Amino acid sequence: MAELNNIRTISVPSIGKLPLATPAGTFTPAGESREHKPGRLPEDGGFLTGYKPAVLELNINLQAGVDLDAINAIKNETVTIRLESGQVYMMPQAFRSGDPAGWGDGESKITIMSNTSERIS
């Protein structure tokens, strides 16, 4: 059976390791996007390219001592994502995007974005 490639840890320099819930969330590295461009005939079609930022959508476990204000204040940080497979990605100048994380039922959601991402191992 193949090993699933899940998020193992997320580190933020100003906070340390984030306490992740189960499931931890999703990570989509930055990269080129493609959109279909139809033509008059099928062979005349093609695609347009664009660029998508890196997106990290996390489920946070709200343990005692978690500083939700610090998590909501994430901006211009170098976030490190370690996967179960051993791969490591870096999101430079990352920032919390969208709505701030809140309290409730022991878990909260947060989205972190970066214009670029890089696989470092």
Side-chain angles (χ1 to χ4, degrees):
M1 177 184 261
E3 178 180 323
L4 295 177
N5 202 6
N6 295 320
I7 294 173
R8 183 179 175 116
T9 62
I10 304 294
S11 298
V12 180
S14 65
I15 300 170
K17 287 185 181 177
L18 296 179
L20 301 176
T22 302
T26 60
F27 170 61
T28 306
E32 183 180 75
S33 65
R34 293 186 186 109
E35 181 180 327
H36 177 251
K37 177 72 174 167
R40 188 177 62 81
L41 299 173
E43 60 270 12
D44 294 337
F47 61 89
L48 301 172
T49 60
Y51 195 79
K52 295 287 186 177
V55 179
L56 182 60
E57 294 176 327
L58 297 174
N59 297 313
I60 303 293
N61 191 0
L62 298 176
Q63 305 168 351
V66 169
D67 188 348
L68 207 52
D69 294 328
I71 291 173
N72 285 328
I74 293 173
K75 66 179 176 184
N76 297 324
E77 297 264 16
T78 300
V79 176
T80 305
I81 301 104
R82 294 184 190 283
L83 303 177
E84 293 286 346
S85 66
Q87 294 176 350
V88 180
Y89 285 84
M90 178 182 67
M91 293 172 64
Q93 298 179 336
F95 56 94
R96 181 199 43 85
S97 176
D99 295 331
W103 300 103
D105 296 332
E107 291 185 8
S108 192
K109 294 183 183 286
I110 188 169
T111 300
I112 298 173
M113 294 182 75
S114 177
N115 288 329
T116 63
S117 66
E118 179 181 347
R119 183 174 168 186
I120 55 178
S121 73

